[in-house]
Amino acid sequence: MKIGVIGTGHVGLVTCGTLAHLGHEVVGVDTDAEKIAQLEAGKMPFFEPGLQELVDEATQAGRLTFTTDIAEGARDADVVFICVGTPPKASGEANLAAVEAAARDVARNATKRTVIVEKSTVPAGTAGRLRRTIERERKDLALDVASNPEFLREGKGVEDSLSPTRILLGAESDHAFEVLCAVYKPLIDKGCRVIQTDIATAELSKHACNAFLAMKISYANAMARMCELAGADVADVVEVMGSDPRIGKDFLGVGLGYGGYCFPKDLQAFERLAASLGYDFPLLNEVARINEEAVMAAVKKVEDTLWNLDGKRVALLGLAFKPGTDDTRLAPALGVARALIERGSSVVGYDPQAGANAKSDVPELEIAEDPYEAVEGAHCVVVCTEWPDIGSLDLAKIHDAMAYPVIVDGRNIFDPKEMAALGFTYLPAGRPPIVPT
Ligand code: NAD
C-alpha cells in the first residue's frame, strides 16, 4: 500500500519505519526542514533504541522516503497517518492546530480515495471536526476519517510498534476498516488482537488508558507519602498490591512520578474534555497534584538534609523523563533541577543520552559527561531516572567522591542495606531513611 505519515517525531518516525518494515511504500512528511534534512542524511533526530536500524533497512530497501512537501505524502496514498504534536494550550486543552493543518493539507493534495487517520492523541470529537474540515476542502473526492491511537512507549517504541499489545481501530466505514486491517495484516496474521470501535470510542479509549496509568503511578506515590508518615515501607506495600492480579504490578513504581510528552498533557486534556462535556472529573486533577507533590517531596528531603542550599552542590543522576530515551519534555528531573536552582543550589546533571536536551531546557544546569564527574564534590545526589547503568554504579567510589555522602533516591533503585553498610545517608521514597549515627 502507499502510505503517507505526517509528522516524523517520536510516533511518526517509528510508524514510518514499522509500516515500511511491513512491506508498504511510505513517505514521511514533516514541516521541520532541519529534521527532514537529518533524516535524508540517515541521521536520527532523537534517540530511540533500534530505530536507526529500522529506518536504515526501510530507506535502503527504497520503501521509505522523507519530504517537507505534504503533496508528496498525499499523492496516490491509500492511507495517511497524522502523527503531529498535540501540545497543551494554557487552559490545558489539547492544541489541535497542527492536526487540523495536516488534515486540511492532505485533503487538498489527495489524488484518490484516501483514509485520513488520527494517530496523534486527540480528544473525543476531533474526528467530527476533521470530517467537516476535509469536506470543506474537497467536495469532489470521498475521503474517510479514522482513528488509530498509538500506544507505543518511548524507549521501547520499536518493539511496541512491531509487536503491539493490541491495535485499536475506530472507523465509520467498511472501507476505512478494510484499509486499516490491510495495513496491519502482517501483525494481525501473527496474532495481534484488533479492537474495532466507532471513532469517538477509539479517541476516548486512548485518553482513558493514559489517565488510568498516570493514576496508578500517583496512587503508588500517595502510598509512599503515607508510608513515610506511618514508618512503613512502600516497597513492600506495592509488592503486596502488585501480587494481586486484579491490581497488577506495573505502573506502581514509586519516586519522582511521571513526566514526558504524554501523561501530563493527556491527563489535563482529558479533564478539560470531561469539563466541556459537562462531566466533573476532579480525580484527574488530584492525580496531577500528587505527581507534582512527588517532585517536591524529593526537593524537601534535599533541603531538610543539607539545611541551606546556598553554596551547596547537588548532582542529578538521570535527566530523561524515563530510561531508554533522550526526551526531557516535562521530565521530573528538570522539576527537581529548577526547584533546587531557585533555592540557591548549584546543580549538575548526568544522563547517558539526555544531557543536551536537558541543558537546552534548563540552561543553568551544568552537564557532566560521566556520572563520577557529576558526583565529584557534591553535597547530595538525587537519582532521577532509573537507567540500568545508574543502578550499577560503583557506590564506594561515589561515596568517596562526594563532599557529603547523601543520596536522595527518587526511583528507589538502591538497596538500603548496602547504602547503610557504605555509610551513606540514604533517603528513598516511602521507605525508612538510613541516617548513620
Ligand atoms: P513529536 O513532537 O516528537 O513530533 C511531532 C512532529 O510533528 C514534529 O516533528 C513536528 O515538526 C511535526 N509537525 C508539526 N506540525 C506539522 C504539520 N502541520 N505537518 C507536518 N509535520 C508537523 O511528538 P510525538 O511524541 O511524536 O507525539 C505525536 C502525537 O502522538 C501526540 O499527540 C502524542 O500525544 C501522541 N503520542 C505520543 C507518544 C510518545 O511516546 N511520544 C506515544 C503515543 C502517542
Side-chain angles (χ1 to χ4, degrees), residues 6-12 29-32 35 83-86 98 101-102 120-121 150 152 154 206 261-262 265-266 329:
I6 316 300
T8 57
H10 292 78
V11 165
V29 184
D30 207 291
T31 42
D32 182 340
K35 194 175 264 185
C83 304
V84 301
T86 49
S120 301
T121 303
E150 181 53 61
L152 67 76
E154 281 181 35
K206 170 65 190 176
Y261 191 55
C262 292
K265 78 169 174 57
D266 291 350
R329 290 179 287 183

PDB file of all heavy atoms in Angstrom, residues 6-12 29-32 35 83-86 98 101-102 120-121 150 152 154 206 261-262 265-266 329, ligand 1:
ATOM      1  N   ILE A   6       2.324  11.909   8.429  1.00  0.00           N
ATOM      2  CA  ILE A   6       2.532  13.354   8.609  1.00  0.00           C
ATOM      3  C   ILE A   6       3.027  13.600  10.030  1.00  0.00           C
ATOM      4  O   ILE A   6       2.301  13.340  10.999  1.00  0.00           O
ATOM      5  CB  ILE A   6       1.228  14.158   8.360  1.00  0.00           C
ATOM      6  CG1 ILE A   6       0.507  13.650   7.106  1.00  0.00           C
ATOM      7  CG2 ILE A   6       1.527  15.645   8.280  1.00  0.00           C
ATOM      8  CD1 ILE A   6       1.265  13.732   5.821  1.00  0.00           C
ATOM      9  N   GLY A   7       4.257  14.128  10.135  1.00  0.00           N
ATOM     10  CA  GLY A   7       4.910  14.289  11.433  1.00  0.00           C
ATOM     11  C   GLY A   7       5.881  13.141  11.619  1.00  0.00           C
ATOM     12  O   GLY A   7       5.469  11.971  11.636  1.00  0.00           O
ATOM     13  N   THR A   8       7.172  13.461  11.711  1.00  0.00           N
ATOM     14  CA  THR A   8       8.182  12.392  11.862  1.00  0.00           C
ATOM     15  C   THR A   8       8.868  12.515  13.224  1.00  0.00           C
ATOM     16  O   THR A   8      10.087  12.500  13.319  1.00  0.00           O
ATOM     17  CB  THR A   8       9.218  12.431  10.722  1.00  0.00           C
ATOM     18  OG1 THR A   8       9.822  13.739  10.724  1.00  0.00           O
ATOM     19  CG2 THR A   8       8.598  12.154   9.376  1.00  0.00           C
ATOM     20  N   GLY A   9       8.055  12.678  14.274  1.00  0.00           N
ATOM     21  CA  GLY A   9       8.594  12.737  15.637  1.00  0.00           C
ATOM     22  C   GLY A   9       8.640  11.347  16.246  1.00  0.00           C
ATOM     23  O   GLY A   9       8.765  10.343  15.535  1.00  0.00           O
ATOM     24  N   HIS A  10       8.521  11.283  17.570  1.00  0.00           N
ATOM     25  CA  HIS A  10       8.678  10.019  18.288  1.00  0.00           C
ATOM     26  C   HIS A  10       7.675   8.966  17.814  1.00  0.00           C
ATOM     27  O   HIS A  10       8.002   7.785  17.725  1.00  0.00           O
ATOM     28  CB  HIS A  10       8.543  10.251  19.798  1.00  0.00           C
ATOM     29  CG  HIS A  10       9.683  11.053  20.348  1.00  0.00           C
ATOM     30  ND1 HIS A  10       9.759  12.422  20.204  1.00  0.00           N
ATOM     31  CD2 HIS A  10      10.800  10.677  20.999  1.00  0.00           C
ATOM     32  CE1 HIS A  10      10.876  12.850  20.764  1.00  0.00           C
ATOM     33  NE2 HIS A  10      11.526  11.821  21.245  1.00  0.00           N
ATOM     34  N   VAL A  11       6.465   9.376  17.494  1.00  0.00           N
ATOM     35  CA  VAL A  11       5.463   8.429  16.999  1.00  0.00           C
ATOM     36  C   VAL A  11       5.584   8.264  15.481  1.00  0.00           C
ATOM     37  O   VAL A  11       5.622   7.145  14.959  1.00  0.00           O
ATOM     38  CB  VAL A  11       4.040   8.903  17.383  1.00  0.00           C
ATOM     39  CG1 VAL A  11       2.970   8.169  16.595  1.00  0.00           C
ATOM     40  CG2 VAL A  11       3.819   8.688  18.877  1.00  0.00           C
ATOM     41  N   GLY A  12       5.668   9.392  14.768  1.00  0.00           N
ATOM     42  CA  GLY A  12       5.644   9.346  13.305  1.00  0.00           C
ATOM     43  C   GLY A  12       6.825   8.590  12.715  1.00  0.00           C
ATOM     44  O   GLY A  12       6.646   7.779  11.792  1.00  0.00           O
ATOM     45  N   VAL A  29       6.483  12.872   6.178  1.00  0.00           N
ATOM     46  CA  VAL A  29       6.423  14.317   5.898  1.00  0.00           C
ATOM     47  C   VAL A  29       6.567  15.085   7.209  1.00  0.00           C
ATOM     48  O   VAL A  29       5.938  14.726   8.213  1.00  0.00           O
ATOM     49  CB  VAL A  29       5.051  14.697   5.278  1.00  0.00           C
ATOM     50  CG1 VAL A  29       5.015  16.174   4.903  1.00  0.00           C
ATOM     51  CG2 VAL A  29       4.736  13.820   4.073  1.00  0.00           C
ATOM     52  N   ASP A  30       7.361  16.139   7.201  1.00  0.00           N
ATOM     53  CA  ASP A  30       7.431  16.997   8.386  1.00  0.00           C
ATOM     54  C   ASP A  30       7.648  18.436   7.929  1.00  0.00           C
ATOM     55  O   ASP A  30       8.312  18.683   6.919  1.00  0.00           O
ATOM     56  CB  ASP A  30       8.575  16.552   9.303  1.00  0.00           C
ATOM     57  CG  ASP A  30       8.317  16.919  10.754  1.00  0.00           C
ATOM     58  OD1 ASP A  30       8.339  18.134  11.058  1.00  0.00           O
ATOM     59  OD2 ASP A  30       8.087  16.012  11.578  1.00  0.00           O
ATOM     60  N   THR A  31       7.087  19.385   8.692  1.00  0.00           N
ATOM     61  CA  THR A  31       7.283  20.800   8.371  1.00  0.00           C
ATOM     62  C   THR A  31       8.665  21.278   8.827  1.00  0.00           C
ATOM     63  O   THR A  31       9.111  22.340   8.418  1.00  0.00           O
ATOM     64  CB  THR A  31       6.213  21.665   9.078  1.00  0.00           C
ATOM     65  OG1 THR A  31       6.053  21.175  10.413  1.00  0.00           O
ATOM     66  CG2 THR A  31       4.881  21.611   8.365  1.00  0.00           C
ATOM     67  N   ASP A  32       9.317  20.488   9.662  1.00  0.00           N
ATOM     68  CA  ASP A  32      10.635  20.860  10.184  1.00  0.00           C
ATOM     69  C   ASP A  32      11.702  20.437   9.158  1.00  0.00           C
ATOM     70  O   ASP A  32      12.098  19.265   9.089  1.00  0.00           O
ATOM     71  CB  ASP A  32      10.828  20.146  11.537  1.00  0.00           C
ATOM     72  CG  ASP A  32      12.153  20.489  12.210  1.00  0.00           C
ATOM     73  OD1 ASP A  32      13.064  20.956  11.505  1.00  0.00           O
ATOM     74  OD2 ASP A  32      12.252  20.269  13.428  1.00  0.00           O
ATOM     75  N   LYS A  35      14.835  18.651  10.413  1.00  0.00           N
ATOM     76  CA  LYS A  35      14.607  17.242  10.756  1.00  0.00           C
ATOM     77  C   LYS A  35      14.608  16.369   9.500  1.00  0.00           C
ATOM     78  O   LYS A  35      15.211  15.304   9.462  1.00  0.00           O
ATOM     79  CB  LYS A  35      13.252  17.120  11.485  1.00  0.00           C
ATOM     80  CG  LYS A  35      13.035  15.814  12.185  1.00  0.00           C
ATOM     81  CD  LYS A  35      11.741  15.819  12.983  1.00  0.00           C
ATOM     82  CE  LYS A  35      11.951  16.174  14.442  1.00  0.00           C
ATOM     83  NZ  LYS A  35      10.740  16.084  15.262  1.00  0.00           N
ATOM     84  N   CYS A  83       0.452  12.199  12.598  1.00  0.00           N
ATOM     85  CA  CYS A  83       1.246  11.922  13.815  1.00  0.00           C
ATOM     86  C   CYS A  83       1.870  13.202  14.367  1.00  0.00           C
ATOM     87  O   CYS A  83       2.944  13.170  14.964  1.00  0.00           O
ATOM     88  CB  CYS A  83       2.357  10.927  13.493  1.00  0.00           C
ATOM     89  SG  CYS A  83       1.783   9.389  12.783  1.00  0.00           S
ATOM     90  N   VAL A  84       1.231  14.330  14.131  1.00  0.00           N
ATOM     91  CA  VAL A  84       1.799  15.611  14.568  1.00  0.00           C
ATOM     92  C   VAL A  84       1.571  15.800  16.075  1.00  0.00           C
ATOM     93  O   VAL A  84       0.771  15.087  16.693  1.00  0.00           O
ATOM     94  CB  VAL A  84       1.179  16.790  13.781  1.00  0.00           C
ATOM     95  CG1 VAL A  84       1.429  16.620  12.287  1.00  0.00           C
ATOM     96  CG2 VAL A  84      -0.323  16.887  14.051  1.00  0.00           C
ATOM     97  N   GLY A  85       2.242  16.784  16.651  1.00  0.00           N
ATOM     98  CA  GLY A  85       2.123  17.044  18.082  1.00  0.00           C
ATOM     99  C   GLY A  85       0.752  17.621  18.436  1.00  0.00           C
ATOM    100  O   GLY A  85       0.112  18.290  17.616  1.00  0.00           O
ATOM    101  N   THR A  86       0.314  17.346  19.671  1.00  0.00           N
ATOM    102  CA  THR A  86      -0.935  17.912  20.193  1.00  0.00           C
ATOM    103  C   THR A  86      -0.620  18.527  21.565  1.00  0.00           C
ATOM    104  O   THR A  86      -1.050  18.003  22.592  1.00  0.00           O
ATOM    105  CB  THR A  86      -2.021  16.822  20.316  1.00  0.00           C
ATOM    106  OG1 THR A  86      -1.451  15.681  20.995  1.00  0.00           O
ATOM    107  CG2 THR A  86      -2.520  16.365  18.973  1.00  0.00           C
ATOM    108  N   ALA A  98      -2.143  21.799  14.646  1.00  0.00           N
ATOM    109  CA  ALA A  98      -1.307  21.043  13.700  1.00  0.00           C
ATOM    110  C   ALA A  98      -2.095  19.881  13.100  1.00  0.00           C
ATOM    111  O   ALA A  98      -1.914  19.531  11.933  1.00  0.00           O
ATOM    112  CB  ALA A  98      -0.048  20.521  14.405  1.00  0.00           C
ATOM    113  N   ALA A 101      -4.258  21.435  10.447  1.00  0.00           N
ATOM    114  CA  ALA A 101      -3.453  21.838   9.279  1.00  0.00           C
ATOM    115  C   ALA A 101      -3.060  20.614   8.457  1.00  0.00           C
ATOM    116  O   ALA A 101      -3.143  20.615   7.220  1.00  0.00           O
ATOM    117  CB  ALA A 101      -2.204  22.593   9.751  1.00  0.00           C
ATOM    118  N   ALA A 102      -2.655  19.544   9.155  1.00  0.00           N
ATOM    119  CA  ALA A 102      -2.209  18.341   8.439  1.00  0.00           C
ATOM    120  C   ALA A 102      -3.381  17.735   7.655  1.00  0.00           C
ATOM    121  O   ALA A 102      -3.239  17.395   6.473  1.00  0.00           O
ATOM    122  CB  ALA A 102      -1.643  17.327   9.437  1.00  0.00           C
ATOM    123  N   SER A 120      -2.149  10.704  16.266  1.00  0.00           N
ATOM    124  CA  SER A 120      -1.893  11.596  17.400  1.00  0.00           C
ATOM    125  C   SER A 120      -2.997  11.384  18.433  1.00  0.00           C
ATOM    126  O   SER A 120      -4.108  10.977  18.095  1.00  0.00           O
ATOM    127  CB  SER A 120      -1.947  13.063  16.950  1.00  0.00           C
ATOM    128  OG  SER A 120      -0.995  13.319  15.953  1.00  0.00           O
ATOM    129  N   THR A 121      -2.680  11.702  19.698  1.00  0.00           N
ATOM    130  CA  THR A 121      -3.692  11.591  20.758  1.00  0.00           C
ATOM    131  C   THR A 121      -4.575  12.834  20.738  1.00  0.00           C
ATOM    132  O   THR A 121      -4.087  13.950  20.915  1.00  0.00           O
ATOM    133  CB  THR A 121      -2.988  11.466  22.127  1.00  0.00           C
ATOM    134  OG1 THR A 121      -2.115  10.337  22.062  1.00  0.00           O
ATOM    135  CG2 THR A 121      -3.988  11.293  23.257  1.00  0.00           C
ATOM    136  N   GLU A 150      -2.035   5.614  19.082  1.00  0.00           N
ATOM    137  CA  GLU A 150      -0.742   4.944  19.252  1.00  0.00           C
ATOM    138  C   GLU A 150      -0.503   4.665  20.728  1.00  0.00           C
ATOM    139  O   GLU A 150      -0.719   5.530  21.565  1.00  0.00           O
ATOM    140  CB  GLU A 150       0.373   5.846  18.696  1.00  0.00           C
ATOM    141  CG  GLU A 150       1.748   5.254  18.793  1.00  0.00           C
ATOM    142  CD  GLU A 150       1.828   3.861  18.170  1.00  0.00           C
ATOM    143  OE1 GLU A 150       1.581   3.724  16.964  1.00  0.00           O
ATOM    144  OE2 GLU A 150       2.121   2.890  18.910  1.00  0.00           O
ATOM    145  N   LEU A 152       2.576   3.152  21.760  1.00  0.00           N
ATOM    146  CA  LEU A 152       3.993   2.834  21.999  1.00  0.00           C
ATOM    147  C   LEU A 152       4.543   3.617  23.181  1.00  0.00           C
ATOM    148  O   LEU A 152       4.058   4.693  23.524  1.00  0.00           O
ATOM    149  CB  LEU A 152       4.840   3.074  20.744  1.00  0.00           C
ATOM    150  CG  LEU A 152       5.055   4.499  20.198  1.00  0.00           C
ATOM    151  CD1 LEU A 152       6.055   5.302  21.006  1.00  0.00           C
ATOM    152  CD2 LEU A 152       5.523   4.415  18.770  1.00  0.00           C
ATOM    153  N   GLU A 154       7.965   5.397  24.648  1.00  0.00           N
ATOM    154  CA  GLU A 154       9.307   5.848  24.273  1.00  0.00           C
ATOM    155  C   GLU A 154      10.326   4.973  24.984  1.00  0.00           C
ATOM    156  O   GLU A 154      10.120   4.577  26.126  1.00  0.00           O
ATOM    157  CB  GLU A 154       9.510   7.319  24.655  1.00  0.00           C
ATOM    158  CG  GLU A 154       8.852   8.247  23.669  1.00  0.00           C
ATOM    159  CD  GLU A 154       9.059   9.712  24.001  1.00  0.00           C
ATOM    160  OE1 GLU A 154      10.131  10.080  24.509  1.00  0.00           O
ATOM    161  OE2 GLU A 154       8.123  10.496  23.752  1.00  0.00           O
ATOM    162  N   LYS A 206      -7.966   6.020  24.251  1.00  0.00           N
ATOM    163  CA  LYS A 206      -6.543   6.365  24.402  1.00  0.00           C
ATOM    164  C   LYS A 206      -6.334   7.255  25.626  1.00  0.00           C
ATOM    165  O   LYS A 206      -5.458   7.016  26.465  1.00  0.00           O
ATOM    166  CB  LYS A 206      -6.048   7.060  23.124  1.00  0.00           C
ATOM    167  CG  LYS A 206      -4.666   7.679  23.212  1.00  0.00           C
ATOM    168  CD  LYS A 206      -3.556   6.665  23.422  1.00  0.00           C
ATOM    169  CE  LYS A 206      -2.249   7.372  23.749  1.00  0.00           C
ATOM    170  NZ  LYS A 206      -1.155   6.470  24.050  1.00  0.00           N
ATOM    171  N   TYR A 261       5.958  13.486  27.275  1.00  0.00           N
ATOM    172  CA  TYR A 261       5.067  14.244  26.394  1.00  0.00           C
ATOM    173  C   TYR A 261       3.625  13.759  26.483  1.00  0.00           C
ATOM    174  O   TYR A 261       2.732  14.418  25.990  1.00  0.00           O
ATOM    175  CB  TYR A 261       5.579  14.115  24.947  1.00  0.00           C
ATOM    176  CG  TYR A 261       4.899  15.051  23.980  1.00  0.00           C
ATOM    177  CD1 TYR A 261       4.875  16.426  24.236  1.00  0.00           C
ATOM    178  CD2 TYR A 261       4.278  14.582  22.830  1.00  0.00           C
ATOM    179  CE1 TYR A 261       4.243  17.294  23.370  1.00  0.00           C
ATOM    180  CE2 TYR A 261       3.653  15.447  21.955  1.00  0.00           C
ATOM    181  CZ  TYR A 261       3.637  16.796  22.232  1.00  0.00           C
ATOM    182  OH  TYR A 261       3.002  17.656  21.369  1.00  0.00           O
ATOM    183  N   CYS A 262       3.387  12.596  27.129  1.00  0.00           N
ATOM    184  CA  CYS A 262       2.026  12.047  27.064  1.00  0.00           C
ATOM    185  C   CYS A 262       1.223  12.241  28.351  1.00  0.00           C
ATOM    186  O   CYS A 262       0.224  12.959  28.348  1.00  0.00           O
ATOM    187  CB  CYS A 262       2.085  10.578  26.685  1.00  0.00           C
ATOM    188  SG  CYS A 262       2.645  10.363  24.986  1.00  0.00           S
ATOM    189  N   LYS A 265       0.192  15.999  29.712  1.00  0.00           N
ATOM    190  CA  LYS A 265      -0.714  16.769  28.842  1.00  0.00           C
ATOM    191  C   LYS A 265      -2.015  16.006  28.570  1.00  0.00           C
ATOM    192  O   LYS A 265      -3.079  16.612  28.489  1.00  0.00           O
ATOM    193  CB  LYS A 265      -0.015  17.169  27.530  1.00  0.00           C
ATOM    194  CG  LYS A 265       0.090  16.070  26.504  1.00  0.00           C
ATOM    195  CD  LYS A 265       0.552  16.589  25.154  1.00  0.00           C
ATOM    196  CE  LYS A 265       0.795  15.466  24.168  1.00  0.00           C
ATOM    197  NZ  LYS A 265      -0.319  14.585  23.906  1.00  0.00           N
ATOM    198  N   ASP A 266      -1.924  14.686  28.476  1.00  0.00           N
ATOM    199  CA  ASP A 266      -3.134  13.915  28.169  1.00  0.00           C
ATOM    200  C   ASP A 266      -4.112  13.922  29.344  1.00  0.00           C
ATOM    201  O   ASP A 266      -5.331  13.962  29.154  1.00  0.00           O
ATOM    202  CB  ASP A 266      -2.775  12.475  27.772  1.00  0.00           C
ATOM    203  CG  ASP A 266      -2.065  12.427  26.420  1.00  0.00           C
ATOM    204  OD1 ASP A 266      -2.028  13.465  25.734  1.00  0.00           O
ATOM    205  OD2 ASP A 266      -1.526  11.365  26.063  1.00  0.00           O
ATOM    206  N   ARG A 329      11.066  16.225  27.837  1.00  0.00           N
ATOM    207  CA  ARG A 329       9.843  17.018  27.929  1.00  0.00           C
ATOM    208  C   ARG A 329       9.114  16.679  29.236  1.00  0.00           C
ATOM    209  O   ARG A 329       8.801  15.520  29.492  1.00  0.00           O
ATOM    210  CB  ARG A 329       8.946  16.760  26.709  1.00  0.00           C
ATOM    211  CG  ARG A 329       9.536  17.341  25.439  1.00  0.00           C
ATOM    212  CD  ARG A 329       8.667  17.061  24.224  1.00  0.00           C
ATOM    213  NE  ARG A 329       8.714  15.684  23.794  1.00  0.00           N
ATOM    214  CZ  ARG A 329       8.074  15.207  22.720  1.00  0.00           C
ATOM    215  NH1 ARG A 329       7.338  16.021  21.976  1.00  0.00           N
ATOM    216  NH2 ARG A 329       8.175  13.949  22.375  1.00  0.00           N
TER     217      ARG A 329
HETATM  218  P1  NAD B   1       6.902  14.990  18.433  1.00  0.00           P
HETATM  219  O1  NAD B   1       6.926  16.382  18.944  1.00  0.00           O
HETATM  220  O2  NAD B   1       8.058  14.100  18.711  1.00  0.00           O
HETATM  221  O3  NAD B   1       6.654  15.002  16.866  1.00  0.00           O
HETATM  222  C1  NAD B   1       5.683  15.758  16.217  1.00  0.00           C
HETATM  223  C2  NAD B   1       6.226  16.084  14.829  1.00  0.00           C
HETATM  224  O4  NAD B   1       5.180  16.682  14.059  1.00  0.00           O
HETATM  225  C3  NAD B   1       7.380  17.082  14.846  1.00  0.00           C
HETATM  226  O5  NAD B   1       8.470  16.553  14.117  1.00  0.00           O
HETATM  227  C4  NAD B   1       6.795  18.330  14.152  1.00  0.00           C
HETATM  228  O6  NAD B   1       7.767  19.048  13.423  1.00  0.00           O
HETATM  229  C5  NAD B   1       5.759  17.689  13.245  1.00  0.00           C
HETATM  230  N1  NAD B   1       4.697  18.589  12.778  1.00  0.00           N
HETATM  231  C6  NAD B   1       4.012  19.525  13.498  1.00  0.00           C
HETATM  232  N2  NAD B   1       3.082  20.096  12.721  1.00  0.00           N
HETATM  233  C7  NAD B   1       3.158  19.519  11.484  1.00  0.00           C
HETATM  234  C8  NAD B   1       2.431  19.654  10.269  1.00  0.00           C
HETATM  235  N3  NAD B   1       1.403  20.503  10.151  1.00  0.00           N
HETATM  236  N4  NAD B   1       2.791  18.894   9.214  1.00  0.00           N
HETATM  237  C9  NAD B   1       3.814  18.019   9.317  1.00  0.00           C
HETATM  238  N5  NAD B   1       4.535  17.830  10.448  1.00  0.00           N
HETATM  239  C10 NAD B   1       4.198  18.573  11.523  1.00  0.00           C
HETATM  240  O7  NAD B   1       5.572  14.352  19.020  1.00  0.00           O
HETATM  241  P2  NAD B   1       5.317  12.805  19.335  1.00  0.00           P
HETATM  242  O8  NAD B   1       5.916  12.464  20.652  1.00  0.00           O
HETATM  243  O9  NAD B   1       5.651  12.003  18.141  1.00  0.00           O
HETATM  244  O10 NAD B   1       3.737  12.827  19.554  1.00  0.00           O
HETATM  245  C11 NAD B   1       2.852  12.969  18.458  1.00  0.00           C
HETATM  246  C12 NAD B   1       1.452  12.611  18.910  1.00  0.00           C
HETATM  247  O11 NAD B   1       1.416  11.227  19.310  1.00  0.00           O
HETATM  248  C13 NAD B   1       0.965  13.391  20.120  1.00  0.00           C
HETATM  249  O12 NAD B   1      -0.423  13.577  20.006  1.00  0.00           O
HETATM  250  C14 NAD B   1       1.265  12.469  21.291  1.00  0.00           C
HETATM  251  O13 NAD B   1       0.425  12.705  22.382  1.00  0.00           O
HETATM  252  C15 NAD B   1       0.983  11.121  20.667  1.00  0.00           C
HETATM  253  N6  NAD B   1       1.695  10.006  21.291  1.00  0.00           N
HETATM  254  C16 NAD B   1       2.982  10.153  21.686  1.00  0.00           C
HETATM  255  C17 NAD B   1       3.656   9.074  22.263  1.00  0.00           C
HETATM  256  C18 NAD B   1       5.082   9.208  22.745  1.00  0.00           C
HETATM  257  O14 NAD B   1       5.538   8.307  23.466  1.00  0.00           O
HETATM  258  N7  NAD B   1       5.795  10.262  22.410  1.00  0.00           N
HETATM  259  C19 NAD B   1       3.003   7.839  22.411  1.00  0.00           C
HETATM  260  C20 NAD B   1       1.691   7.722  21.963  1.00  0.00           C
HETATM  261  C21 NAD B   1       1.041   8.813  21.397  1.00  0.00           C
END
